[in-house]
Amino acid sequence: MKTFRTRFIEFVSYFFILLFCYASISKMMDFENFQIQIGQSPLLSAYAGMVSYSVIIIEILISILLIFERTRIPALYAATALMSAFTIYIYLILNYSDFVPCSCGGILEDLGWTEHLIFNIFCVAIGVASVILQQRVKTNGLRRSIYFLLLSNFLSCLIVVALFFSSEHIIKKENNFTRRFLIHPVIEENKLDLKVNSYYFAGEHNGNIYLGNYTSPFTLSIVDNSFKTIQQYQLVPPKSKLILKNLKTVVRFPFVYVADGSAPIIYRAKLGSSALNVYSFKDVYFNDYVVPDSTSIVFRAKSSTSDKHVLGLLKIEDSKSVVINNDMILSDGDGVFSTDGKLLYSSDADKLIFVHYYKNTFSVSNLDFSGLQHLKTIDTVNSTKLKIVTKQDGHRKMAAPPMIVNVNASTYGDVLFNQSNIKGKFESQKLWKKSSVVDMYNIIKQEYFGSFYITNKNNSGMSQMLATQKFFYTITENEIVRYRYAQSVSKHFQTGKAENLKKE
């Protein structure tokens, strides 16, 4: 006749068999999604491949061992230890994670993380009770069972904690290209139809967004705080016979700048005034520029001696001076093509940033190019993959479309927002096709801390983005969208001294 002890042990065994079989089968039936979930875990991202296979194998093995009476007790030890590992995992998620991800699916898909924690504690409790009830009838059995329970559960929890700290270091410092998608880091708040798709971001001040226009280069447009209308006024340059082909508008309060580095000329006017004045003429030739303050311009230019891009600092007021820096932009030997990229300036951090288009490199320096650091994005494309041919007239051009790594970038404070063109590990192909991905880096701490998706419009990806103190803006086709930051992002905006962390 079966006793209460025997029936309880059988009940716990069958309970774990049902739980682990269902869990493992559901994981195998949707294995790709399971790997994606593990890859987005804030604790185990770096080990998603190993963990996804290991968990399924362990659950199946424990289920098989629980069937046979001879192996049932060792299997109960293992089941209890596994549930302890799951329990400490959830505890770390709730108390030490940068963010709390969505709850996992399967048999407990309707439970939140706190309910999961309670359920797991219950499973550990009945597992411990079943082992103790089985062993207490034996000589020294109770003491031995308690010892093994403590040891096995401690080791399982220790493994999870070790994986957590190791994964944190790998993801933030030595990333093997596993993205960490934060939960709603930016939330769509408003949008406005611009009617045409020729706008680009020229700057921001006091909540107003200033837009330049590729097809109407002397038109300055303003989207105000209400985000309901767009105002426009014409900038009028002095009469000139100059042929202007590549005008770019930049707003740096209280001025608006319109420049063509091939002329080369820089116009400037007070915001609100239509009359542009010549600010610089024939001082330097350039193909891109940023405005750090009212007395200087940082520009990117093609070097006549090295046939690659270099950066320069043009001091305009008082005595004009030019400082050329050859070290901030790294070349792979393909000259001007391999040194192409996005030039940025973070006014709050007072840092220059150059993001390479064709490899996983961005460089950060002070305004005078001191304190230069070459850092890496999380993807693994560490050199440009370009096919260059030389024509009969000596001109060089690309023989095939290049593999673009970093599409676009923006910065505010200590944070670099980088639009990547490379799909990472354990990411949904379906979601990747209908979205643009933005990776975020803290340039002072020198670490990657998360990513988010921006949904495409009519199969067109985001063409422009602008990071400000309160909002993140995008332009997709003819639509400008305003997003509000979550605290998981805005907490990184505060500038501070660089930590002694590993540099590339």
Side-chain angles (χ1 to χ4, degrees), residues 95-115:
N95 292 277
Y96 296 99
S97 171
D98 289 339
F99 66 98
V100 178
C102 295
S103 180
C104 62
I107 194 170
L108 304 173
E109 61 183 351
D110 293 328
L111 296 184
W113 284 105
T114 302
E115 289 79 9

Side-chain angles (χ1 to χ4, degrees), residues 32-249:
E32 181 182 1
N33 187 51
F34 173 57
Q35 272 200 327
I36 291 172
Q37 288 179 342
I38 296 294
Q40 302 314 319
S41 163
L43 268 65
L44 303 175
S45 305
Y47 300 105
M50 177 188 70
V51 171
S52 59
Y53 287 104
S54 299
V55 169
I56 293 175
I57 292 172
I58 291 172
E59 288 178 339
I60 293 174
L61 183 60
I62 291 175
S63 299
I64 294 173
L65 294 176
L66 284 169
I67 296 173
F68 306 103
E69 189 173 350
R70 180 177 297 180
T71 57
R72 183 166 295 162
I73 297 304
L76 284 172
Y77 279 112
T80 306
L82 182 60
M83 294 309 300
S84 291
F86 292 158
T87 302
I88 196 66
Y89 170 76
I90 295 175
Y91 177 80
L92 292 172
I93 285 280
L94 293 175
N95 292 277
Y96 296 99
S97 171
D98 289 339
F99 66 98
V100 178
C102 295
S103 180
C104 62
I107 194 170
L108 304 173
E109 61 183 351
D110 293 328
L111 296 184
W113 284 105
T114 302
E115 289 79 9
H116 269 287
L117 182 64
I118 295 171
F119 176 81
N120 286 358
I121 292 174
F122 166 77
C123 292
V124 172
I126 63 174
V128 169
S130 63
V131 171
I132 290 177
L133 283 174
Q134 174 67 23
Q135 297 296 341
R136 71 183 181 88
V137 297
K138 299 181 181 180
T139 305
N140 296 323
L142 183 59
R143 182 180 299 176
R144 187 181 299 109
S145 65
I146 292 176
Y147 169 77
F148 281 118
L149 280 170
L150 290 174
L151 180 62
S152 59
N153 283 267
F154 173 76
L155 289 176
S156 65
C157 293
L158 184 64
I159 290 172
V160 174
V161 172
L163 288 175
F164 163 58
F165 284 109
S166 177
S167 180
E168 283 290 284
H169 177 77
I170 291 173
I171 291 296
K172 291 183 176 180
K173 306 297 179 185
E174 300 175 0
N175 196 290
N176 59 352
F177 204 13
T178 303
R179 284 193 172 92
R180 173 172 292 177
F181 287 94
L182 306 183
I183 303 303
H184 306 304
V186 293
I187 302 167
E188 184 177 325
E189 187 177 77
N190 216 333
K191 57 186 176 182
L192 176 65
D193 186 0
L194 299 173
K195 306 303 182 183
V196 295
N197 62 359
S198 55
Y199 287 102
Y200 62 90
F201 291 117
E204 180 267 349
H205 178 71
N206 200 26
N208 293 327
I209 300 300
Y210 296 90
L211 303 174
N213 194 310
Y214 293 115
T215 58
S216 181
F218 286 108
T219 300
L220 183 65
S221 303
I222 307 170
V223 180
D224 62 16
N225 281 310
S226 67
F227 221 72
K228 294 180 180 178
T229 59
I230 180 170
Q231 302 174 359
Q232 297 180 337
Y233 70 93
Q234 291 298 120
L235 298 168
V236 182
K239 290 185 178 180
S240 170
K241 295 183 179 180
L242 289 174
I243 299 175
L244 304 176
K245 300 179 179 179
N246 190 27
L247 286 163
K248 177 185 175 181
T249 301

Side-chain angles (χ1 to χ4, degrees), residues 295-320:
T295 64
S296 58
I297 300 289
V298 177
F299 61 90
R300 185 192 67 181
K302 179 182 175 183
S303 171
S304 59
T305 56
S306 63
D307 192 34
K308 72 170 190 175
H309 283 113
V310 296
L311 296 185
L313 173 63
L314 170 63
K315 286 285 188 179
I316 296 179
E317 294 191 355
D318 299 327
S319 58
K320 293 183 180 180

